[in-house]
């Protein structure tokens, strides 16, 4: 018989405020099916690639069929997911001719690595042959693979919060599943940019990157600066309702709530620094975006530095800014200039 105080800690009831799942010993399960369905749709919808032949974009996600769950046993998290996906892609050639096709993913599963994922791209039967099909089968398939890889990363970093409960001393036992670690490592290798730790409040560190975008606008720094802080102007170039408080500490919410954050530093006509995020990033995780406005006499150079962007969101963030900020502002206000 064990002496007092020397018993197996797995059977000792610790003093916990919620008296729940002591030492994370009991099997607990969380259904991630509904969350995963919405996440997969948001990650695929709007994916866009461009080439010499034209451009292609995923315009509809028509089928998300499957299930996902997470189990906690003895402080280890075990992930199960299996999905069949079907989407529609729309292409437009340089001459303006439009085409439609399908994307099918029959085996997104915890049993398959991302490099083994089948991504079937086809052109609708009633459409004439086009080089855009090859564009989707190469660049398009690569982008879809990265997006679905980021789903696995979000499942492991965002949806697992609270599954490993704190013990009496307030410390949660770390996940030690070698299988889960190996898959997370593969997701983290998606981006070639260097990673740095970002300040997050989720309790889970995610790999992040930093990069810079530049563009030129045929307007003054003062006019371009005002575009980002004036609610009516933001609504004009995003073509959607927006909430913008253009003061230091003021918050913004754009594109039907898909983009949000707050302004942390404002230097009139020269600099804007903000906390910025997509709404499907891990909870409370923000990137730091610093915009510098440089007067070039006849035009303004906008330099935008990004820090803390999740690795698997780098390409999506770059394309989102180029399309929904830079290009949209030029088209709306006539500030068109050559992209650097």
């Amino acid at each position: 018989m064990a002496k007092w105080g020397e018993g197996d800690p797995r059977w000792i009831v610790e003093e916990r405020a919620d008296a729940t799942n002591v030492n994370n010993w009991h099997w607990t399960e969380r259904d991630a099916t509904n969350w995963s369905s919405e996440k997969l749709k948001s990650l695929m919808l709007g994916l866009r690639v461009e080439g010499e032949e034209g451009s292609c974009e995923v315009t509809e996600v028509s089928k998300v069929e499957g299930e996902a769950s997470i189990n906690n046993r003895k402080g280890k998290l075990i992930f199960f997911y299996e999905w069949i996906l079907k989407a529609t892609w729309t292409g437009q050639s340089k001459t303006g001719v439009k085409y439609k096709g399908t994307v099918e993913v029959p085996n997104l599963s915890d049993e398959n690595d991302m490099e083994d994922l089948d991504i079937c791209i086809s052109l609708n039967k009633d459409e004439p042959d086009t080089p855009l099909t090859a564009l989707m089968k190469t660049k398009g398939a690569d982008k879809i693979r990265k997006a679905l890889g980021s789903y696995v990363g979000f499942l492991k970093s965002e949806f697992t919060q609270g599954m490993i409960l704190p013990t009496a001393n307030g410390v949660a036992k770390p996940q030690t599943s070698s299988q889960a670690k190996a898959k997370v490592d593969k997701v983290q290798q998606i981006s070639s940019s260097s990673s740095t730790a970002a300040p997050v409040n989720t309790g889970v560190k995610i790999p992040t990157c930093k990069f810079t975008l530049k563009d030129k606008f045929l307007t003054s720094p003062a006019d371009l600066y005002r575009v980002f802080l004036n609610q009516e102007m933001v609504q004009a170039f995003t073509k959607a309702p927006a909430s913008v408080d253009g003061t230091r500490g003021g918050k913004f919410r754009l594109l039907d709530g898909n983009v949000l954050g707050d302004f942390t530093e404002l230097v009139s006509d020269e600099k804007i620094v903000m906390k910025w995020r997509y709404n499907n990033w891990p909870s409370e995780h923000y990137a730091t975006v610093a915009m510098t406005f440089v007067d070039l006499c006849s035009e303004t150079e906008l330099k935008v530095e990004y820090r803390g962007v999740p690795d698997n969101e780098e390409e999506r963030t770059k394309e989102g800014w180029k399309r929904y900020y830079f290009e949209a502002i030029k088209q709306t206000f006539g500030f068109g200039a050559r992209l650097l």
Side-chain angles (χ1 to χ4, degrees), residues 229-265:
L229 302 179
N230 181 281
Q231 180 168 301
E232 287 72 24
M233 298 183 79
V234 171
Q235 290 181 147
F237 77 76
T238 59
K239 297 179 175 59
S243 174
V244 180
D245 178 2
T247 60
R248 183 175 180 179
K251 298 185 180 300
F252 58 85
R253 189 177 183 88
L254 321 177
L255 298 169
D256 295 322
N258 286 310
V259 170
L260 61 152
D262 55 82
F263 301 105
T264 59
E265 181 182 350

Side-chain angles (χ1 to χ4, degrees), residues 123-144:
L123 185 68
N124 289 352
K125 292 182 179 180
D126 56 345
E127 298 280 0
D129 289 339
T130 171
L132 293 176
T133 307
L135 177 65
M136 275 299 293
K137 287 183 176 181
T138 52
K139 291 184 178 180
D142 288 343
K143 183 154 290 190
I144 291 169

Side-chain angles (χ1 to χ4, degrees), residues 64-339:
V64 181
E65 185 178 285
E67 59 182 351
S69 63
I70 308 172
N71 294 281
N72 172 17
R73 176 60 168 161
K74 304 178 186 178
K76 297 179 182 179
L77 295 180
I78 306 169
F79 299 84
F80 300 99
Y81 55 90
E82 187 171 4
W83 294 99
I84 299 173
L85 310 173
K86 187 173 182 179
T88 298
W89 64 269
T90 301
Q92 182 170 333
S93 68
K94 292 292 186 179
T95 58
V97 180
K98 293 185 178 181
Y99 303 85
K100 277 193 174 183
T102 59
V103 178
E104 294 187 70
V105 181
N107 63 337
L108 178 60
S109 166
D110 58 276
E111 296 181 355
N112 298 319
D113 293 328
M114 277 299 128
E115 56 263 32
D116 298 325
L117 194 66
D118 293 327
I119 301 176
C120 306
I121 309 287
S122 61
L123 185 68
N124 289 352
K125 292 182 179 180
D126 56 345
E127 298 280 0
D129 289 339
T130 171
L132 293 176
T133 307
L135 177 65
M136 275 299 293
K137 287 183 176 181
T138 52
K139 291 184 178 180
D142 288 343
K143 183 154 290 190
I144 291 169
R145 193 182 307 277
K146 288 182 180 180
L148 297 180
S150 71
Y151 155 71
V152 179
F154 281 128
L155 181 66
K156 296 181 178 187
S157 65
E158 181 176 340
F159 196 76
T160 57
Q161 295 178 54
M163 288 202 69
I164 298 182
L165 300 172
T167 56
N169 60 7
V171 178
K173 294 182 179 180
Q175 179 181 348
T176 58
S177 169
S178 58
Q179 179 183 12
K181 181 180 183 301
K183 290 187 177 180
V184 170
D185 288 344
K186 288 180 180 177
V187 173
Q188 292 175 356
Q189 292 170 3
I190 291 175
S191 172
S192 59
S193 300
S194 59
S195 298
T196 57
V200 295
N201 296 326
T202 61
V204 180
K205 288 186 177 180
I206 62 174
T208 63
C209 63
K210 59 181 180 179
F211 56 88
T212 300
L213 295 178
K214 293 181 181 180
D215 204 347
K216 291 180 180 178
F217 297 80
L218 294 176
T219 188
S220 67
D223 286 345
L224 186 58
Y225 177 90
R226 188 162 58 94
V227 166
F228 292 94
L229 302 179
N230 181 281
Q231 180 168 301
E232 287 72 24
M233 298 183 79
V234 171
Q235 290 181 147
F237 77 76
T238 59
K239 297 179 175 59
S243 174
V244 180
D245 178 2
T247 60
R248 183 175 180 179
K251 298 185 180 300
F252 58 85
R253 189 177 183 88
L254 321 177
L255 298 169
D256 295 322
N258 286 310
V259 170
L260 61 152
D262 55 82
F263 301 105
T264 59
E265 181 182 350
L266 298 175
V267 180
S268 183
D269 305 339
E270 296 180 8
K271 188 175 185 180
I272 296 175
V273 181
M274 65 180 95
K275 289 170 57 181
W276 187 97
R277 62 179 264 115
Y278 281 120
N279 69 350
N280 61 356
W281 284 3
S283 180
E284 296 304 315
H285 179 83
Y286 288 82
T288 298
V289 177
M291 296 189 289
T292 305
F293 303 80
V294 182
D295 190 354
L296 301 179
C297 295
S298 60
E299 57 188 5
T300 298
E301 180 184 79
L302 177 63
K303 178 182 178 182
V304 189
E305 298 179 81
Y306 306 79
R307 293 178 179 272
V309 174
D311 268 1
N312 47 36
E313 289 285 284
E314 179 182 358
E315 290 304 315
R316 179 189 177 206
T317 302
K318 285 181 178 178
E319 292 198 5
W321 270 78
K322 290 176 182 178
R323 183 179 180 185
Y324 295 108
Y325 282 91
F326 299 169
E327 293 177 12
I329 288 172
K330 291 177 183 180
Q331 292 174 3
T332 302
F333 304 110
F335 297 163
R338 180 177 60 85
L339 188 66

